[in-house]
Amino acid sequence: MVQEVGEEDGWNGGGIALAPVEPMKSWSISFEGTMENREEETSHHVRISAKYSSKLPYFDFDSEMDSWTVARAMSREPWSREYFERLRAAHQNHYEQFGDVKGVVE
């Protein structure tokens, strides 16, 4: 998914679009494109309009991940300059949250 300059309100890619409605509580989800059934070797034009919502707290991996768990995982890897450079390059904000998705598929 990409966020183009001037599109700070969401992400788009491959026919799917995600846009925040209320930060950390609800998102608008849409898709329009071709979906393939690989078992039956058929394809269908599909349109999806949905909303994700949650009243539960989100989990922020940057601040809420247990430091001992991270330390144990890191200690099992062979340490090298390349290893730490890959860790730095791969760093990203990561949130997880349980919620519900309700919508329409056409």
Side-chain angles (χ1 to χ4, degrees), residues 74 77-88:
M74 289 178 67
E77 297 294 326
W79 286 14
S80 66
R81 177 178 297 276
E82 293 80 21
Y83 171 68
F84 287 101
E85 286 173 355
R86 283 195 320 270
L87 278 178
R88 182 179 300 155

Side-chain angles (χ1 to χ4, degrees), residues 57-76:
Y58 62 90
F59 184 85
D60 180 348
F61 276 79
D62 275 349
S63 62
E64 298 175 11
M65 183 73 167
D66 181 61
S67 57
W68 282 106
T69 302
V70 173
R72 273 193 305 274
M74 289 178 67
S75 71
R76 292 185 178 122

Side-chain angles (χ1 to χ4, degrees), residues 1 11 13 15 19 21 24 30-32 40 44 46 67-68 71 76 79 86 93 95 103:
M1 304 209 81
W11 291 264
V21 175
M24 306 315 265
S30 63
F31 173 80
E32 183 162 357
E40 297 179 11
H44 307 275
V46 176
S67 57
W68 282 106
R76 292 185 178 122
W79 286 14
R86 283 195 320 270
N93 290 342
Y95 303 99

Side-chain angles (χ1 to χ4, degrees), residues 14 31-38 41-48 105-106:
F31 173 80
E32 183 162 357
T34 302
M35 295 184 87
E36 297 178 7
N37 181 329
R38 293 188 178 172
E41 297 182 1
T42 59
S43 61
H44 307 275
H45 184 79
V46 176
R47 183 177 301 136
I48 298 172
V105 178
E106 300 177 64

